[in-house]
């Protein structure tokens, strides 16, 4: 009998994990406490934009024509407890309001709600990003609350999926990291991940604290890489250098590598910024704050990029935003996502708006979410409409659609042909040839 799997929390991580587990051949039950989400998912609809996810879901949701029927959804903890041999906890751990620390309330309440229904030997697997030390605490709590006692065991299995590539990253992970306390837990997880393991995904087994730390360490390293290249962009601007060439050249060194060296308005999203801060807060609690003080600098370099972009835009429109029209291309924190959480693009748009500029935003997928966060900004249905009458155009999220824009066509509708490339993703020559003043972060003015 194949294992029966539950997935607790059906946000971006949980919905993807649930669909992927069904794709791997398991019977899956997804649980969420928000009934509207469960209804949507039950109809095969995804409450967020993630390439390939809706298709995968429709392939497996029970009751849909032609589906495998292996995936169902519920709001009942009792049903989840009775169903699962393995329970994945995928709820979110946002930043606490007004603090750096991570808000564990969703994780804690998921454990409190599930545990009383665990009456037979089971494995609960934490996937959420949590402060180190949480797993040990939760393992104890689980054994206390579950009728199965110590037979309700815990494992920690951090998730490294990227938005925009979530389905691929879940089905073909570049590594599988598991923090376990027994051989039984390890062998159950090997069964769950048998397919990617057979494809050659590396399997790294460790204790709870190390597994928790792997996730925050990986995100801190990625953030450090981005802020490093953005710091180099600041130096390049001061010294008339070109950060794009610099990144290309240092990237040829295999020890450094080319990836995550794209200078621009910096990182945002639901993970990197809050994970850095939660990591610093946790290090402080552990008396090891000195080890991570450098992350404060990484965070400030990153936030400085947004302010710098606003200054370049101000300069481009002649020193003040009053009465000026600013077109903003991009609202999401990265392309191929509709996520605007802590988005540098939306932050820059908002700052300019609050300083009196008339901002018009266009984004291929993020309009609805952007409108919800920033209802007072102007929104246009296409890039061309956003650029109509603009005194300056800001390119802030590197959607493919923006790289394929025709500078001549855009030039016909803009009042002034001035473009600031906040992602170093457009071709400067192309824009300059069409009569635009092209400027990018960390590059010479030409
Ligand atoms: C990240 C991690 O990559 C993933 O492993 C983890 O599970 C969750 O957090 P994600 O938030 O989807 O994933 O985004 P990512 O692709 O890492 O990009 C983060 C931000 O950095 C984006 O705003 C992106 O635009 C920015 N970025 C990325 C740069 O500014 N320069 C780069 O070179 C790369």
């Amino acid at each position: 009998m194949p294992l029966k799997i539950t997935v607790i929390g059906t946000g971006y991580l949980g919905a993807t994990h649930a669909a992927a587990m069904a794709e791997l051949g398991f019977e899956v039950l997804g649980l969420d406490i928000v009934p509207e989400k469960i209804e949507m998912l039950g109809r095969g609809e995804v409450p967020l934009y993630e390439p390939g996810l809706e298709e995968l879901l429709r392939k497996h949701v029970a009751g849909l024509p032609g589906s495998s029927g292996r995936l169902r959804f519920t709001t009942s903890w009792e049903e989840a407890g009775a169903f699962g041999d393995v329970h994945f906890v995928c709820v979110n751990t946002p930043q606490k309001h007004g603090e750096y620390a991570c808000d564990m309330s969703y994780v804690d309440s998921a454990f409190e709600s599930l545990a009383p229904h665990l009456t037979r030997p089971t494995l609960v697997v934490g996937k959420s990003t949590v402060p180190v030390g949480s797993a040990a605490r939760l393992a104890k709590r689980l054994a206390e609350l579950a009728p199965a006692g110590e037979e309700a065991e815990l494992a920690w299995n951090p998730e490294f999926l990227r938005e925009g590539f979530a389905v691929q990253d879940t089905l073909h992970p570049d590594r599988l990291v598991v923090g376990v306390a027994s051989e039984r837990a390890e062998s159950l997880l090997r069964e769950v991940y048998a397919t990617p393991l057979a494809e050659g995904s590396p399997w790294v087994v460790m204790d709870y604290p190390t597994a928790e730390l792997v996730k925050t360490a990986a995100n801190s390293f990625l953030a450090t890489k981005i802020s490093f290249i953005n710091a180099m962009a600041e130096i390049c601007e001061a010294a008339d250098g070109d950060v794009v060439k610099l990144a290309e050249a240092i990237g040829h060194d295999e020890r450094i590598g080319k990836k995550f060296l794209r200078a621009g308005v910096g990182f945002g999203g639901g993970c990197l910024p809050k994970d850095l801060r939660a990591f610093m807060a946790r290090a402080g609690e552990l008396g090891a704050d000195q080890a991570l003080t450098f992350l404060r600098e990484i965070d400030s370099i990153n936030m400085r990029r947004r302010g710098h972009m606003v200054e370049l835009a101000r300069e481009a429109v002649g020193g003040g935003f009053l009465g000026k029209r600013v077109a903003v291309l991009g609202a999401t924190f990265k392309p191929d996502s509709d996520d605007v959480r802590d988005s540098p693009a939306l932050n820059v748009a908002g700052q300019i708006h609050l300083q009196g500029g008339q901002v018009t935003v266009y984004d291929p997928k993020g309009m609805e979410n952007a409108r919800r966060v920033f209802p007072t900004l102007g929104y246009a249905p296409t890039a061309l409409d956003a650029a109509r009458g603009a005194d300056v155009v800001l390119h802030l999220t590197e959607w493919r659609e923006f790289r394929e824009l025709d500078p001549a066509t855009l030039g016909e509708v803009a009042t002034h042909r001035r473009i600031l490339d906040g992602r170093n993703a457009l071709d400067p020559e192309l824009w300059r040839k069409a009569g635009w003043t092209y400027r990018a972060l960390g590059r010479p003015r030409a």
Side-chain angles (χ1 to χ4, degrees):
M1 274 279 282
L3 292 170
K4 287 186 166 176
I5 290 178
T6 78
V7 176
I8 316 286
T10 59
Y12 146 79
L13 165 61
T16 313
H17 194 67
M21 288 295 118
E23 174 74 6
L24 294 180
F26 301 105
E27 294 285 322
V28 183
L29 182 64
L31 179 145
D32 205 289
I33 53 170
V34 183
E36 296 78 37
K37 260 196 207 171
I38 290 304
E39 281 160 26
M40 269 189 93
L41 290 162
R43 294 194 298 266
E45 292 165 25
V46 185
L48 43 93
Y49 175 72
E50 181 61 43
L53 181 53
E54 195 149 291
E55 290 81 344
L56 196 66
L57 205 70
R58 284 174 187 272
K59 199 169 153 193
H60 298 295
V61 170
L64 297 183
S67 85
S68 73
R70 287 199 290 268
L71 177 55
R72 289 186 304 111
F73 292 94
T74 187
T75 51
S76 158
W77 292 100
E78 195 182 347
E79 193 185 349
F83 180 90
D85 302 307
V86 179
H87 303 274
F88 283 98
V89 177
C90 297
V91 297
N92 65 335
T93 49
Q95 188 175 338
K96 268 191 193 163
H97 196 66
E99 276 181 57
Y100 269 14
C102 145
D103 176 359
M104 284 291 285
S105 60
Y106 301 107
V107 175
D108 288 341
S109 81
F111 275 79
E112 302 282 324
S113 307
L114 177 68
H117 302 289
L118 303 177
T119 53
R120 57 190 163 91
T122 40
L123 185 66
V124 178
V125 186
K127 274 204 161 292
S128 308
T129 301
V130 295
V132 59
S134 305
R137 174 176 65 78
L138 291 164
K140 253 173 102 188
R141 191 77 189 124
L142 198 60
E144 278 165 19
L145 288 174
E150 306 221 327
E151 304 255 54
E153 215 192 311
L154 183 75
W156 214 262
N157 170 217
E159 183 56 61
F160 305 100
L161 59 81
R162 300 160 295 165
E163 294 192 20
F165 299 91
V167 170
Q168 184 196 327
D169 286 353
T170 308
L171 289 172
H172 312 284
D174 58 6
R175 80 281 214 194
L176 286 156
V177 173
V178 295
V180 290
S182 75
E183 278 183 18
R184 172 181 162 265
E186 184 188 338
S187 75
L188 267 174
L189 282 168
R190 275 187 181 275
E191 213 176 317
V192 170
Y193 292 119
T195 307
L197 283 174
E199 278 176 8
S201 286
W203 179 249
V204 197
V205 185
M206 57 193 70
D207 53 29
Y208 293 152
T210 313
E212 292 166 309
L213 283 169
V214 168
K215 176 62 193 265
T216 31
N219 275 356
S220 301
F221 191 83
L222 293 172
T224 302
K225 248 187 136 176
I226 300 171
S227 277
F228 174 83
I229 203 64
N230 281 332
M232 293 305 111
E234 287 185 16
I235 299 290
C236 282
E237 274 181 34
D240 252 340
D242 182 339
V243 74
V244 174
K245 279 284 160 206
L246 183 143
E248 182 191 336
I250 63 173
H252 282 300
D253 184 331
E254 276 181 14
R255 293 167 304 175
I256 296 174
K258 286 188 190 336
K259 292 186 182 155
F260 268 64
L261 285 183
R262 203 169 6 84
V265 281
F267 57 81
C271 288
L272 296 194
K274 67 115 178 148
D275 287 354
L276 286 192
R277 294 171 193 156
F279 200 15
M280 282 187 269
R282 185 63 186 138
E285 288 168 6
L286 294 169
D289 47 338
Q290 265 196 327
L292 297 186
T293 45
F294 77 98
L295 288 181
R296 197 174 292 273
E297 200 53 43
I298 298 307
D299 200 2
S300 21
I301 293 170
N302 189 54
M303 296 310 280
R304 209 148 70 212
R305 305 312 289 159
R306 304 174 184 191
H308 185 53
M309 192 70 211
V310 174
E311 289 320 310
L312 289 185
R314 192 199 312 283
E315 201 183 296
V317 297
F321 289 119
L322 276 181
K324 300 292 181 188
R325 285 176 177 270
V326 180
V328 169
L329 302 184
T332 53
F333 83 103
K334 68 187 251 185
D336 296 318
S337 161
D338 64 356
D339 195 343
V340 300
R341 284 177 295 172
D342 202 1
S343 163
L346 206 54
N347 180 302
V348 168
Q351 286 193 54
I352 296 177
H353 165 72
L354 294 172
Q355 293 177 34
Q358 288 181 44
V359 181
T360 308
V361 179
Y362 167 71
D363 187 279
K365 294 282 178 199
M367 300 287 271
E368 216 177 295
N369 287 338
R371 248 198 212 104
R372 209 169 298 142
V373 176
F374 236 121
T376 50
L377 291 176
Y379 292 93
T382 65
L384 203 66
D385 286 317
R388 210 173 293 283
D391 295 294
V392 64
V393 177
L394 273 47
H395 174 243
L396 301 182
T397 313
E398 69 279 31
W399 287 91
R400 171 192 278 269
E401 181 181 327
F402 299 148
R403 283 200 298 281
E404 290 169 353
L405 281 173
D406 175 21
T409 316
L410 218 66
E412 280 166 24
V413 299
T415 299
H416 293 283
R417 295 185 179 199
R418 301 176 185 131
I419 185 149
L420 298 179
D421 186 359
R423 289 295 182 182
N424 275 310
L426 304 175
D427 178 353
E429 283 320 300
L430 206 69
W431 287 80
R432 284 180 181 140
K433 264 196 212 132
W436 289 75
T437 309
Y438 169 96
R439 200 165 167 203
L441 298 177
R443 303 196 85 175
R445 280 166 188 256

